[in-house]
């Protein structure tokens, strides 16, 4: 006796095909967003360039400022490129960077300023400021583990700074964070010398 056949309606097959295509399309979109390119450093060190709209939107939201306050496109493109990079003592690349290495690279690539590599030496090339005088690109120092000037970050604006955290990598945090502020010890702008180039943004 012939076995009965169960033919699926063509409309059902068509619907399955459409759902499959939609699923594939959604996966492509998600993967594309996960692998989106970081911001690009435009201009030359020391030059103030217009930030990318997406970068201005992102960092204005993080720091609670207007998008129009994100003016130094090169600075925030640099920050965007390094955000999330893991901490590695002595590191100077995307595989890992330490706090003084991040400050060293940022001052060099954003402002065209050469500063020492080590935190203990970086603190000797700043002009001390009061906290309420801080500007973008200034250095902020902390005394961790009972060691004076053992950690450094780079001030951004509205009370936020970027640094390479030993536990979280490169992040932006509030200077008045309850945990870290008690270790805050000194701040200031990099002193221009014959061996450095200053920018209008400093």
């Amino acid at each position: 006796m012939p076995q009965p056949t169960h033919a699926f309606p063509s409309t059902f097959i068509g619907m399955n095909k459409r759902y499959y295509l939609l699923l594939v399309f959604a996966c492509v979109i998600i993967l594309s967003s996960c692998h989106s390119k970081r911001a690009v450093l435009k201009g030359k060190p020391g030059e103030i360039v217009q930030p990318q709209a997406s970068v201005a939107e992102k960092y204005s939201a993080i720091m609670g400022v207007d998008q129009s306050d994100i003016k130094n496109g090169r600075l925030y493109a640099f920050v965007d490129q390094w955000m999330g990079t893991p901490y590695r003592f002595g590191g100077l690349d995307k595989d890992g960077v330490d706090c003084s290495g991040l400050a060293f690279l940022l001052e060099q690539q954003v402002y065209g300023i050469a500063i020492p590599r080590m935190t203990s030496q970086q603190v000797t090339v700043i002009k001390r400021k009061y906290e309420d005088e801080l500007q973008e690109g200034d250095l902020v120092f902390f005394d961790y583990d009972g060691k004076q000037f053992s950690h450094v970050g780079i001030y951004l604006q509205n009370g936020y700074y970027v640094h390479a955290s030993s536990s979280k990598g490169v992040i932006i945090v509030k200077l008045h964070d309850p945990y870290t502020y008690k270790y805050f010890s000194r701040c200031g702008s990099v002193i221009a010398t014959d061996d450095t180039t200053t920018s209008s943004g400093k």
Side-chain angles (χ1 to χ4, degrees), residues 105-179:
L105 291 169
L106 186 149
E107 296 294 336
Q108 180 185 72
Q109 296 182 20
V110 174
Y111 297 107
I113 297 176
I115 65 172
R117 172 67 178 82
M118 304 301 294
T119 310
S120 58
Q121 296 173 326
Q122 290 173 350
V123 74
T124 67
V125 298
I126 65 165
K127 179 180 179 181
R128 293 183 67 173
K129 287 183 172 182
Y130 291 109
E131 184 184 327
D132 59 6
E133 297 175 323
L134 282 169
Q135 295 179 318
E136 283 183 344
D138 288 345
L139 301 182
V140 291
F141 294 88
F142 302 82
D143 299 342
Y144 286 140
D145 302 322
K147 298 177 182 178
Q148 191 176 34
F149 313 131
S150 57
H151 188 72
V152 65
I154 306 94
Y155 188 78
L156 297 176
Q157 56 176 293
N158 197 32
Y160 285 85
Y161 69 100
V162 62
H163 73 128
S165 162
S166 59
S167 59
K168 299 179 181 178
V170 178
I171 55 172
I172 291 175
V173 292
K174 279 189 172 183
L175 183 59
H176 279 258
D177 178 275
Y179 175 74

Side-chain angles (χ1 to χ4, degrees), residues 92-110:
L92 270 178
D93 55 38
K94 300 296 173 57
D95 290 330
V97 67
D98 61 16
C99 64
S100 59
L102 183 70
F104 173 83
L105 291 169
L106 186 149
E107 296 294 336
Q108 180 185 72
Q109 296 182 20
V110 174

Side-chain angles (χ1 to χ4, degrees), residues 18-31:
R18 285 197 295 273
Y19 286 137
Y20 174 78
L21 291 174
L22 284 172
L23 181 61
V24 170
F25 181 74
C27 288
V28 170
I29 294 296
I30 292 172
L31 289 173

Side-chain angles (χ1 to χ4, degrees), residues 32-73:
S32 297
S33 62
C34 290
H35 294 84
S36 58
K37 293 182 178 179
R38 297 280 190 172
V40 178
L41 280 181
K42 297 181 179 179
K44 298 177 181 179
E47 185 179 352
I48 304 296
V49 298
Q50 190 75 14
Q52 294 173 230
S54 59
V55 170
E57 180 180 5
K58 178 179 179 179
Y59 291 97
S60 63
I62 289 175
M63 298 185 295
V65 299
D66 292 334
Q67 288 190 37
S68 59
D69 292 325
I70 307 297
K71 301 181 186 298
N72 192 334

